[in-house]
Amino acid sequence: MPVTGPAAGSGVPGLRASDADRDRIADILREALAEGRLTAEEHGERIGAAYAARTLGELEPLVADLPRAGGAGPDTGRGAAPAHPRPYGHDAARPGGAGPEGPGSTENLVAVFGGAGRKGRWRVPCRTNALALFGGVEIDLTEAVFERREIVVHAVAVFGGVDIKVPENVTLRTTGGGVFGGFDVRTQEAPDPDAPVVSVTGFAFFGGVEAKPRRGKRLKNLRAAG
């Protein structure tokens, strides 16, 4: 079970956690798993709690008993929020549609000894966190509505799998990797500079992450935000 106790070094445990804060904790947990400090079960439990955490006070106890590099503070920057573009894709030209979600919009998909997924017609947040622990997560973006040009899918597979499908005319990039697992992302650069960019990050430990274009599935109205 995660260690409880005072939030180490946060100073403001009630402050809302950012995606950067969750990633910082996830990196520490990943190193601890690779070094044998955590079992796969402990790692899965803690990383699931990390991506569900809302405050710094909920995050810091998850790594209170683990070594970590200093100097990584919470992300408290309050820069101006980017302007919301019009949607990309199938609903781009639809008048009267729902407005875009906020710039910090995040969705969590967690499969523990089971399955989770998103497919069909859905509005893609700027970030999707997918955790598969002895389970499977399926993310199908081929009929989705892209409301911003760049989105991130952070996929973590521990004795499980994450399967991501994208339209064939978007840009697909990755910065992920595998530890005794496979992180297979079929990267591509879309010929249209206005095409959405899907970045797949994360890691696989005795599991697999796969992302690839789905032939015959294409987004329309790529210049709707122009």
Side-chain angles (χ1 to χ4, degrees):
M1 293 291 293
V3 176
T4 58
S10 68
V12 279
L15 187 68
R16 300 286 290 196
S18 69
D19 286 335
D21 294 323
R22 297 183 186 94
D23 285 343
R24 173 174 58 88
I25 298 301
D27 287 342
I28 296 171
L29 295 174
R30 179 182 60 188
E31 290 299 322
L33 177 65
E35 294 171 357
R37 300 179 189 274
L38 292 177
T39 66
E41 182 179 358
E42 289 170 330
H43 173 267
E45 182 179 341
R46 293 193 191 195
I47 203 165
Y51 282 117
R54 295 184 178 182
T55 67
L56 296 178
E58 296 174 55
L59 282 175
E60 294 298 338
L62 301 174
V63 294
D65 60 342
L66 300 174
R68 47 185 158 166
D75 178 16
T76 57
R78 299 181 181 271
H84 296 309
R86 296 178 187 173
Y88 289 80
H90 298 274
D91 285 355
R94 219 163 128 197
E101 299 173 4
S105 174
T106 300
E107 180 168 358
N108 298 315
L109 298 173
V110 179
V112 180
F113 291 98
R118 271 294 218 161
K119 59 183 178 179
R121 215 174 187 81
W122 62 292
R123 293 185 178 273
V124 184
C126 62
R127 181 184 177 93
T128 300
N129 296 318
L131 169 65
L133 175 64
F134 292 99
V137 175
E138 179 182 358
I139 301 174
D140 190 340
L141 300 170
T142 57
E143 297 181 11
V145 178
F146 289 75
E147 295 186 312
R148 43 187 54 81
R149 184 171 179 269
E150 297 187 13
I151 69 165
V152 174
V153 177
H154 187 78
V156 176
V158 181
F159 293 98
V162 178
D163 184 31
I164 304 162
K165 297 182 179 67
V166 304
E168 64 178 1
N169 60 336
V170 306
T171 292
L172 183 59
R173 299 171 181 165
T174 185
T175 56
V179 179
F180 299 109
F183 204 95
D184 182 16
V185 177
R186 194 177 302 172
T187 60
Q188 66 175 18
E189 292 293 323
D192 193 322
D194 292 314
V197 177
V198 179
S199 296
V200 180
T201 66
F203 71 98
F205 180 77
F206 286 104
V209 174
E210 182 179 21
K212 61 183 178 181
R214 187 172 175 184
R215 181 167 298 184
K217 293 290 187 176
R218 300 175 64 84
L219 288 184
K220 303 175 182 178
N221 303 314
L222 294 182
R223 292 183 175 80

